Amino acid sequence: MKSVPEYFGSQVFDDRVMRSRLSADVYASLRKTIDEGHQLDLSVANSVAEAMKTWAVEKGATHFTHWFQPLTGITAEKHDSFISLSPDGSVIMEFSGKELIKGEPDASSFPSGGLRATFEARGYTAWDPTSYAFIKGKTLCIPTAFCSYGGHALDKKTPLLRSMEALNTQALRILRLFGNTTAKRVVSSVGPEQEYFLITREMYEKRPDLKYTGRTLFGAKPPKGQELDDHYFGAIKPGVAAFMEDLNDELWKLGIMAKTEHNEVAPAQHELAPIYTTTNIATDHNQLTMEIMQKVAARHGLVCLLHEKPFAGVNGSGKHNNWSIATDSGQNLLSPGETPYENAQFLLFLCAVIKAVDDYQDLLRLSVATAGNDHRLGANEAPPAVISMFLGDELEAVMEAIEKDIPYAGSEKTKMKLGVDVLPQFNRDNTDRNRTSPFAFTGNKFEFRMLGSSNSIACANIMLNSAVAESLRIYADRLEGAEDFETTLHEMIRKTIRDHRRIIFNGNGYDESWIKEATEKRGLLNYRTTADCMPHLLDEKNVAMLTGLKVFTEAELYSRRDIMLENYCKSVMIEAGPMVEMARRMIAPAILHYAADVARAAAAKKTISEALPCSCEVRLVEKLSELADQIAERTDELASRLEEVQGIDDIVKQSAAVRDRLLPQMSELRDPCDQAEQLTERSYWPMPTYGEILFSVK
Ligand code: ADP
Ligand code: MG
């Protein structure tokens, strides 16, 4: 058996492979493209393609694909073989620089929100050389961006790369002002912690709701839920351990640094965290991780559920997006420094994030909005739908000292003056574990905790990078024109703290009273659903910022709003169908059978003796009949509402109808079904219960 260091990254055309397989010139030129974002010329691309192909064929690959992330949220690939006919009729394996750099998938069925008329449906894919190519199965996968011929982005990666570029440009301006002349690039990094459920395939197959929608549409709470929290960080079951071992192997071969794994709060729930890396690579890796989790689970007779809320009443799954920004030499710009100057710089970057989160609460909220995640946010297990930030007591006190020009308690100096006094050494271990904050500072990075488990992390990071780039742009404009750098800097920091104090909240985010305070006293936004927040993508200030930084064109924003709302409507409508079907054909008949048998048993008793008591049977039959009646009525109502909602053309109106007409009716229908489940003898119930599913993996 090979050791991990021997096979780590063995399926990746990474720096080690490039160095050993490319000529010095070609390597240097490719490296420059990767590190500094320069264009790659075709002769270099040809040499890279040749080396890539030779390497891939040696590893058994027969095909290549441009791997991309369309707006459906999952990744897409269309495989082409390397095979090509030579003039003498024999077959050779070929792969050109042109094929490496650009592809034309026939991808007309991916959503474009009207950016691409179907007659010119062929968008094109373009290589992202900053994310290494890798082999999956027998296919060489080339990470790419996906655009229309008009140059409009049709994917999640293009705007992500643009947002990283915007952040780079603005952050470098700030660094120069602080006298840093050596940094070449500033990049954002992400370490996403991924939660998921594992259940057996046997259980999954018996639940049409799970199969069609990824979540259970019915199901009473299990007798043993997560009340005891004994699952959290508890011993990992053998079946799960075998899955995790296999998963790690697969991820390591792909150069994905899966690092920690443990059980999560709910039974059958687990988490995997990789070591952080550059944002676009982290995004690719997270997409791959989700895909491979499902594949590996299948090999073990299991199903990996990535839905945000597979089981009502049981903790849902999220994804924590740990985010920071650093220079190419590895200086973390969100890490307090050693010298007063470094600390002033740190405070400015910190302020840029504070301002960004407050100014663009709506964009951050909508960047994580999906039908699935709507079930989670604000459900007392995940952050609320209101965005706020947690800084920790120490930093909070520093902020207050600056804002009010008062002595900082932790400092011996009397007043904080930037660039003069030394900031206190922040105790990094003290980066308190406030688990209820949507956006928490954790010592040298921020943890954005609102992402859903199935979300691509691209969307959240596009908005985060862009919003912070915008703050930095405003700061840089002012500082570059300032006569007295230090005074202007100090004033700007103070003004930011003063203007954006409302976004900082160190208390319990799950508390009812917080939502009241946030919305009524502080004027923070509370968009509860996707239908509520998504239209705000097109608010004037948001369009101005995102187009100003060249992260999106206006047309792209319109198309994205439509696609995101379409995804929302479709997800819910796809649930309503099976719900009607299951209620009519599985649940109602089961209840009626059981009630009929109980009634027959009672009647049989009476034939023995009229005096035998039957009130228990009578009550049960009455209750079941009442529930069955409700179910029948509510199912019909849901079916007719589904038809009504399906008929709405305008996507914004349709999304509102999904929220106001469909979802509430789905809860109405679910309620009597779950009540009936608890009254019906188990052998009559037509599908596995929550308890059986959640404790199915041994
Ligand atoms: P937690 O207590 O929330 O599990 P960890 O310290 O284990 O926190 O980190 C969680 C994630 O944060 C990991 O993926 C880790 O690699 C990532 N992380 C650590 N430092 C940084 C950083 N500077 N930038 C981005 N992500 C980071
Ligand atoms: Mg975390």
Side-chain angles (χ1 to χ4, degrees), residues 97-111:
K98 236 170 89 190
E99 284 170 309
L100 167 63
I101 293 180
K102 195 165 171 175
E104 291 190 36
D106 181 16
S108 46
S109 54
F110 289 117

Side-chain angles (χ1 to χ4, degrees), residues 219-240:
K221 258 182 126 173
K224 177 180 179 348
Q226 62 196 60
E227 292 82 5
L228 300 171
D229 273 358
D230 56 353
H231 179 73
Y232 191 47
F233 282 89
I236 294 174
K237 292 176 183 168
V240 177

Side-chain angles (χ1 to χ4, degrees), residues 383-451:
V386 178
I387 308 241
S388 67
M389 286 174 94
F390 170 82
L391 292 181
D393 292 342
E394 221 164 9
L395 210 47
E396 173 86 345
V398 170
M399 292 290 170
E400 183 162 322
I402 297 172
E403 180 192 353
K404 305 213 170 109
D405 225 355
I406 51 168
Y408 168 65
S411 155
E412 287 151 24
K413 308 273 164 52
T414 43
K415 276 188 184 172
M416 304 267 317
K417 190 146 184 287
L418 295 164
V420 180
D421 287 354
V422 181
L423 271 187
Q425 280 291 309
F426 300 115
N427 183 357
R428 281 199 203 149
D429 302 327
N430 185 23
T431 57
D432 170 321
R433 309 268 100 193
N434 181 328
R435 294 281 173 196
T436 65
S437 174
F439 204 97
F441 184 65
T442 52
N444 61 356
K445 63 184 191 291
F446 278 97
E447 186 168 353
F448 186 26
R449 302 199 177 113
M450 289 173 83
L451 288 76

Side-chain angles (χ1 to χ4, degrees), residues 3 15 18 74 113 206 220 230 232 289 319 321 344 359 416 463 505 525 561 565 597 616:
S3 70
D15 196 65
M18 290 180 193
I74 44 170
K206 291 180 185 155
D230 56 353
Y232 191 47
T289 300
K319 185 140 54 188
N321 190 83
D359 285 344
M416 304 267 317
M463 295 312 176
F505 175 63
L525 299 171
R561 186 220 35 196
L565 284 177
D597 282 355
C616 156

Side-chain angles (χ1 to χ4, degrees), residues 17-37:
V17 185
M18 290 180 193
R19 211 187 281 267
S20 73
R21 292 191 175 240
L22 300 173
S23 72
D25 287 357
V26 170
Y27 174 77
S29 154
L30 180 58
R31 200 65 249 175
K32 226 174 153 56
T33 300
I34 295 171
D35 294 339
E36 293 164 37

